[in-house]
């Protein structure tokens, strides 16, 4: 009777673990599917519209221009004609003047918020993967050495198979998805042809980040959710006072600032060969449009 009870207990634990693993894979699959179609149906269209609008602006505002590698017009140096801005229609002015790159400070702040959001996910993924790797290797197959504590269950060691499974199926895919999301979000926000829509699209992107736990919170039984909350990995790192201990999190902020600066001024491929020639003629027009009436 004791052996049968133990066998049923092991069987239940196996199926619970399998269910959690299956939901995590399904959750990640849904996230990847949505990311793919956002890139295909939303981001790519936004980039195309931004390129077309800026190309028309360049052709109109310069006495001579050339085609860049995307086949879009770019004005030649010394051929800019500011007076031509007055001959654009109000609708054309509204479109080109709300190009996010025309206001680099605003764009960089929005991209900075988005980048910090993703860096938070990266930081958590790296930390969780590091803690699993630091655990003592014990047991065979997909086993774990756990003990009951006052707050729940603490995992003190896992098998090599469990470490590999966690890294390959959880940590690495989560990092890759977050990096793709970071790039996709920066590209989409840079291509958005409206300052108001930049803010709305940033909120929509936040939804994509939250998808990584949506199905897990919704589908899994409440008991499993409570058990997961009460389960922790033993912390093997020493938390001794040091300059690094206090500044480690600041490194992520510095990396975010560096990434945003590099992306806006060197890496963005939304408007190749952007001439930074919109703000000088658009700022007076924007001031008039924003004035109270």
């Amino acid at each position: 009777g004791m052996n049968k009870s133990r066998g049923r207990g092991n069987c239940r634990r196996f199926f619970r673990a399998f269910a959690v693993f299956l939901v995590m894979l399904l959750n990640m699959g849904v996230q990847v599917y949505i990311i793919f179609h956002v890139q295909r149906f939303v981001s790519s269209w936004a980039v195309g519209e931004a390129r077309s609008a800026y190309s028309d602006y360049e052709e109109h505002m310069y006495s001579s221009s050339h085609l860049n590698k995307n086949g879009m017009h770019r004005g030649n140096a010394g051929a800019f004609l500011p007076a031509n801005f007055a001959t654009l229609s109000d609708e054309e002015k509204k479109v080109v003047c709300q190009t996010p790159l025309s206001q680099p400070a605003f764009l960089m702040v929005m991209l900075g918020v988005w980048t910090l959001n993703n860096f938070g996910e990266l930081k958590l993924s790296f930390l969780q993967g590091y803690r699993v790797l630091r655990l003592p290797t014990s047991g065979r197959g997909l086993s774990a050495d756990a003990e009951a504590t006052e707050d729940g269950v603490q995992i003190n060691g896992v098998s090599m198979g469990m470490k590999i499974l966690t890294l390959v199926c959880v940590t690495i895919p989560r990092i890759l998805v977050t990096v793709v999301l970071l790039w996709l979000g920066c590209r989409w926000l840079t291509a958005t042809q409206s300052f108001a829509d930049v803010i709305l699209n940033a909120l929509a992107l936040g939804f994509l980040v939250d998808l990584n736990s949506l199905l897990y919170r919704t589908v899994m039984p409440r008991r499993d959710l409570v058990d997961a909350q009460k389960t922790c990995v033993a912390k093997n790192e020493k938390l001794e006072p040091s300059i690094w201990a206090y500044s480690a999190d600041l490194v992520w902020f510095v990396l975010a600032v560096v990434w945003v600066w590099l992306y806006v001024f060197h890496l963005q491929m939304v408007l190749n060969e952007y001439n930074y020639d919109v703000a000088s003629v658009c700022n007076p027009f924007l001031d008039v449009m924003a004035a109270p009436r």
Side-chain angles (χ1 to χ4, degrees):
M2 178 110 26
N3 290 334
K4 288 184 179 180
S5 177
R6 186 178 302 170
R8 286 194 294 269
N10 291 335
C11 186
R12 282 195 298 269
R13 283 193 292 270
F14 171 79
F15 280 110
R16 287 174 65 186
F18 179 76
V20 171
F21 180 70
L22 188 64
V23 169
M24 289 177 63
L25 287 182
L26 180 61
N27 202 110
M28 194 168 298
V30 170
Q31 193 176 26
V32 170
Y33 177 85
I34 294 178
I35 290 173
F36 172 77
H37 283 85
V38 167
Q39 160 61 18
R40 181 183 178 188
F41 297 132
V42 182
S43 176
S44 295
W45 284 58
V47 170
E49 290 178 353
R51 288 176 175 174
S52 178
Y54 186 64
S55 177
D56 293 342
Y57 172 82
E58 292 288 284
E59 186 179 17
H60 184 84
M61 295 294 294
Y62 284 80
S63 58
S64 64
S65 62
H66 63 277
L67 298 179
N68 66 4
K69 64 180 182 180
N70 300 121
M72 299 295 173
H73 288 276
R74 291 296 180 267
N76 294 325
F80 187 57
L81 303 173
N84 284 4
F85 184 76
T87 63
L88 292 172
S89 67
D90 285 347
E91 189 60 32
E92 289 173 326
K93 292 177 182 178
K94 289 179 182 178
V95 171
V96 74
C97 287
Q98 293 200 73
T99 299
L101 281 168
S102 69
Q103 304 295 329
F106 171 76
L107 177 61
M108 291 177 72
V109 169
M110 296 304 301
L111 293 185
V113 173
W114 170 241
T115 300
L116 287 173
N117 193 1
N118 282 274
F119 275 18
E121 287 290 313
L122 286 177
K123 174 186 172 183
L124 183 60
S125 298
F126 281 122
L127 182 59
Q128 290 176 341
Y130 172 75
R131 285 179 175 173
V132 170
L133 287 177
R134 289 269 298 177
L135 285 172
T137 303
S138 61
R140 297 180 179 179
L142 301 176
S143 60
D145 176 21
E147 67 172 335
T149 64
E150 294 181 358
D151 298 324
V153 177
Q154 177 175 289
I155 300 176
N156 296 319
V158 294
S159 64
M160 181 57 68
M162 182 62 75
K163 288 185 178 182
I164 294 175
L165 181 68
T166 302
L167 289 176
V168 173
C169 296
V170 179
T171 304
I172 294 177
R174 187 175 178 182
I175 291 173
L176 292 177
V177 167
T178 303
V179 170
V180 172
L181 259 179
L182 173 63
W183 169 82
L184 175 64
C186 288
R187 184 175 175 83
W188 186 18
L189 294 178
T190 304
T192 302
Q193 292 295 98
S194 167
F195 297 138
D197 287 343
V198 169
I199 298 175
L200 294 177
N201 290 346
L203 295 175
L205 286 167
F207 161 74
L208 291 181
V209 175
D210 292 338
L211 274 177
N212 64 4
S213 59
L214 176 64
L215 281 179
Y216 180 76
R217 295 195 308 264
T218 306
V219 176
M220 294 303 297
R222 185 174 182 277
R223 178 181 174 182
D224 290 346
L225 294 176
V226 172
D227 288 345
Q229 291 174 353
K230 292 183 177 180
T231 302
C232 65
V233 176
K235 299 178 181 179
N236 296 318
E237 64 267 26
K238 297 180 180 179
L239 300 178
E240 298 178 354
S242 65
I243 295 178
W244 172 250
Y246 290 112
S247 61
D249 291 338
L250 184 61
V251 171
W252 288 99
F253 177 78
V254 173
L255 289 176
V257 172
V258 171
W259 161 254
V260 169
W261 184 84
L262 286 175
Y263 182 83
V264 171
F265 295 108
H266 298 283
L267 300 179
Q268 68 86 15
M269 303 297 289
V270 176
L271 298 178
N272 294 297
E273 298 181 39
Y274 183 71
N275 285 327
Y276 293 94
D277 51 4
V278 176
S280 60
V281 294
C282 276
N283 283 343
F285 173 76
L286 292 174
D287 290 339
V288 172
M289 295 298 295
R293 300 177 182 178

